[in-house]
Amino acid sequence: MAVPDGPGIRELELFRDMTDEHFVTLMRGAYVQNFPPQIELITEGEPSDFLHIVLSGAVDLFAGWNGRETSMATVRPISTFILAATIRDAPYLMSARTLEKSRIALIPSEDVRAIFAADSAFARAIVAELAQCYRSVIKAQKDIKLRTSLERLANFLLRQQKRASGGAEFDLPFEKRRLASVLGMTPENLSRAFKGLQPYGIEVDGTRIRIRDQALLERFAKPSPLIDDHAS
Amino acid sequence: MAVPDGPGIRELELFRDMTDEHFVTLMRGAYVQNFPPQIELITEGEPSDFLHIVLSGAVDLFAGWNGRETSMATVRPISTFILAATIRDAPYLMSARTLEKSRIALIPSEDVRAIFAADSAFARAIVAELAQCYRSVIKAQKDIKLRTSLERLANFLLRQQKRASGGAEFDLPFEKRRLASVLGMTPENLSRAFKGLQPYGIEVDGTRIRIRDQALLERFAKPSPLIDDHAS
DNA sequence: CGCTATGTTGATCCATATCAATAAGTGTGG
DNA sequence: CCACACTTATTGATATGGATCAACATAGCG
């Protein structure tokens, strides 16, 4: 049916190897929607009705407790989120909101679970994806338990630099306010952390970052593939 | 071959639904070993040669960076660990050491991956297990980002109480030293945190905990199923 | 029994949060 | 196109949670 992004989705590792028949079945119940920024797509605690796929834009996964709130991750195209809740048919552990205007595909969780049971290529792809997600969270956990906020920021900048093609200058991918939350600190503290990295050659102008001395920063940040590598 | 615990393992959700033939193949390459306490079983960064299953005893998963170290989780019988690394054929993100005398089954990762590709029931079981693990880490991440150390301890005590059949008195499952690390604090701080919970009716005598006023503690701890429930 | 590891307590230090004020953008409607 | 409102970022002052250092107590363990 009318899922114009069907082809794009089909290329995702998650759907690449499943049978055409199953893919079509999945897409039949799916729909694609455009959302403005700052729309809450799902709320933690609710039952997982749809597997979500970010086709364009960006989505913030966050969680709250007792009046506090924290950013857990940012989902960028093209990837899925809340796969684990969908598979287990369990309530969402995180809420999600659009950061920018975003195009999101929604696939009924029930369909995902049905095809998952019937299509072993799909099941295997889900395993790969889940294992990947799991390892990402473990890395995040290590980051927060083993590093100070200054070290987290330094390593974040190195990761971001790599993602932005590796040059000495690049832009932050989102507001500092959110970056602070992602890194587990307050906005005020982030401001100070940026100043704290000046001695290591960091220059900040708005969202523009410049790394004056790569080696110096790396000597301070001590990035580790077991925490900072995004692949694997 | 000589895997006396084969039957016990067979009952694990992970292996229950796979074919006999595949199970036998898996067990052929597997072996079971007894370890004394404090033995490092695996080291983070190393390639994942074996899927590990704790048959008895207890295993601490921990991670280090730049001279620091933190406990990530405790594995108790009967469950597996480092499944994600095995599946992805990627290096371990955590190290593991026995906490007590432990009986561990080791299954060559290569075999796991081979059977995983051939047996779709096994693949599906792995998905369920991984999704579960993923959700556990997310909960741990929320716990640490959204709560103070006092709140984390209070909620830990409530969880532990439930696991220990729910009475007003129960024992800590491991040393305070490691509890501190699990909760992301220092041993000194944990001592003070226990005293900080006295006004909420907590009494401590060695590893023995007593909750004098359940409602009072819960009012302070504000446990949430989205952070503290172990199942789902 | 001592010996060693673990736990407690106190004093102090440091990192980070909080509160408050200001500045700098950003978007909106007149 | 500017003025206003509103959000975000910065800066300073202060408070607090938690770490560190040091001393001592205690409990297992050989």
Side-chain angles (χ1 to χ4, degrees):
Chain A
M1 69 142 276
V3 180
D5 309 80
I9 297 176
R10 186 70 163 128
E11 252 94 85
L12 282 181
E13 212 177 294
L14 194 55
F15 301 105
R16 193 183 299 150
D17 295 328
M18 67 194 306
T19 69
D20 284 331
E21 187 198 337
H22 288 146
F23 183 71
V24 168
T25 307
L26 263 192
M27 288 305 112
R28 218 191 316 274
Y31 61 100
V32 171
Q33 210 172 332
N34 286 306
F35 294 95
Q38 305 301 334
I39 293 297
E40 189 157 325
L41 300 169
I42 64 178
T43 304
E44 54 176 319
E46 290 182 353
S48 55
D49 297 326
F50 296 95
L51 175 64
H52 290 56
I53 306 176
V54 184
L55 300 171
S56 72
V59 170
D60 181 37
L61 299 183
F62 64 101
W65 177 78
N66 197 26
R68 295 163 217 167
E69 187 181 304
T70 188
S71 265
M72 301 287 290
T74 303
V75 187
R76 298 194 165 277
I78 301 179
S79 20
T80 64
F81 59 93
I82 54 140
L83 179 55
T86 294
I87 290 301
R88 289 201 77 86
D89 196 10
Y92 301 133
L93 293 180
M94 299 181 273
S95 304
R97 75 165 74 90
T98 53
L99 290 172
E100 325 160 357
K101 199 156 93 54
S102 301
R103 193 168 174 74
I104 314 274
L106 300 139
I107 307 180
S109 294
E110 224 173 286
D111 296 354
V112 174
R113 284 192 294 272
I115 304 295
F116 159 71
D119 190 310
S120 58
F122 186 46
R124 281 191 280 276
I126 286 181
V127 165
E129 171 103 354
L130 273 179
Q132 158 89 340
C133 290
Y134 173 77
R135 287 170 64 89
S136 290
V137 194
I138 291 290
K139 287 172 194 165
Q141 185 83 336
K142 289 170 67 173
D143 190 48
I144 209 166
K145 284 186 86 174
L146 291 168
R147 289 172 170 163
T148 67
S149 61
L150 205 62
E151 290 163 344
R152 290 199 298 277
L153 176 57
N155 280 291
F156 171 86
L157 293 177
L158 288 172
R159 292 196 301 268
Q160 191 52 33
Q161 179 199 29
K162 198 174 284 178
R163 202 181 310 170
S165 79
E169 280 193 40
F170 57 93
D171 281 299
L172 294 175
F174 36 65
E175 296 181 300
K176 290 181 183 170
R177 164 174 272 291
R178 279 198 58 268
L179 176 56
S181 185
V182 168
L183 295 177
M185 54 178 130
T186 58
E188 296 97 319
N189 213 345
L190 178 61
S191 266
R192 290 176 181 122
F194 272 121
K195 298 191 98 178
L197 288 181
Q198 272 176 17
Y200 301 101
I202 295 296
E203 269 175 34
V204 185
D205 179 31
T207 63
R208 193 90 188 146
I209 305 296
R210 167 149 195 199
I211 298 178
R212 291 204 148 278
D213 185 337
Q214 187 76 19
L216 183 63
L217 181 63
E218 286 182 359
R219 217 150 46 235
F220 170 74
K222 297 187 176 59
S224 155
L226 300 179
I227 303 179
D228 303 290
D229 272 16
H230 267 283
S232 88
Chain B
M1 71 143 281
V3 180
D5 309 81
I9 296 177
R10 186 68 161 131
E11 252 94 84
L12 281 181
E13 212 178 295
L14 195 55
F15 301 105
R16 193 182 300 152
D17 295 329
M18 67 194 304
T19 69
D20 284 331
E21 186 199 337
H22 288 145
F23 182 72
V24 168
T25 306
L26 264 191
M27 288 305 111
R28 218 192 315 275
Y31 61 99
V32 172
Q33 211 172 333
N34 286 305
F35 295 95
Q38 304 301 334
I39 292 297
E40 189 156 327
L41 300 168
I42 64 178
T43 304
E44 56 176 316
E46 289 182 354
S48 55
D49 295 327
F50 296 94
L51 174 64
H52 294 234
I53 306 177
V54 185
L55 300 172
S56 72
V59 171
D60 181 37
L61 299 182
F62 64 101
W65 178 78
N66 197 28
R68 294 163 219 167
E69 187 180 305
T70 188
S71 264
M72 302 287 288
T74 303
V75 186
R76 298 191 167 279
I78 300 178
S79 21
T80 65
F81 58 93
I82 52 139
L83 179 55
T86 294
I87 291 301
R88 290 203 77 88
D89 195 9
Y92 300 134
L93 293 180
M94 300 180 273
S95 303
R97 73 164 78 88
T98 52
L99 291 171
E100 325 159 357
K101 200 156 95 51
S102 301
R103 192 167 173 77
I104 314 274
L106 300 137
I107 306 180
S109 295
E110 223 174 285
D111 297 352
V112 174
R113 284 192 294 272
I115 305 294
F116 160 72
D119 190 309
S120 57
F122 186 47
R124 282 192 279 276
I126 287 182
V127 165
E129 172 103 354
L130 274 179
Q132 159 90 336
C133 291
Y134 173 77
R135 288 170 64 87
S136 290
V137 195
I138 291 290
K139 287 171 195 166
Q141 185 82 337
K142 289 169 69 173
D143 190 47
I144 209 166
K145 285 186 85 174
L146 290 167
R147 289 171 170 163
T148 68
S149 60
L150 205 62
E151 290 163 343
R152 288 199 298 277
L153 175 58
N155 280 291
F156 171 84
L157 293 178
L158 288 172
R159 291 196 301 268
Q160 191 53 34
Q161 179 198 28
K162 198 174 287 179
R163 202 181 310 173
S165 78
E169 281 195 38
F170 58 93
D171 281 299
L172 294 174
F174 35 66
E175 297 180 297
K176 290 181 183 169
R177 165 176 270 291
R178 183 164 10 268
L179 175 56
S181 185
V182 168
L183 294 177
M185 53 179 130
T186 57
E188 295 97 319
N189 216 338
L190 178 61
S191 264
R192 290 175 181 121
F194 272 122
K195 298 190 97 180
L197 287 182
Q198 271 176 18
Y200 301 100
I202 295 297
E203 267 174 35
V204 185
D205 177 32
T207 63
R208 193 89 188 147
I209 304 296
R210 165 146 196 205
I211 298 179
R212 292 203 147 281
D213 185 338
Q214 187 77 19
L216 182 64
L217 182 62
E218 287 182 359
R219 218 150 45 235
F220 169 74
K222 296 186 176 62
S224 156
L226 300 180
I227 303 181
D228 302 289
D229 272 17
H230 265 283
S232 89

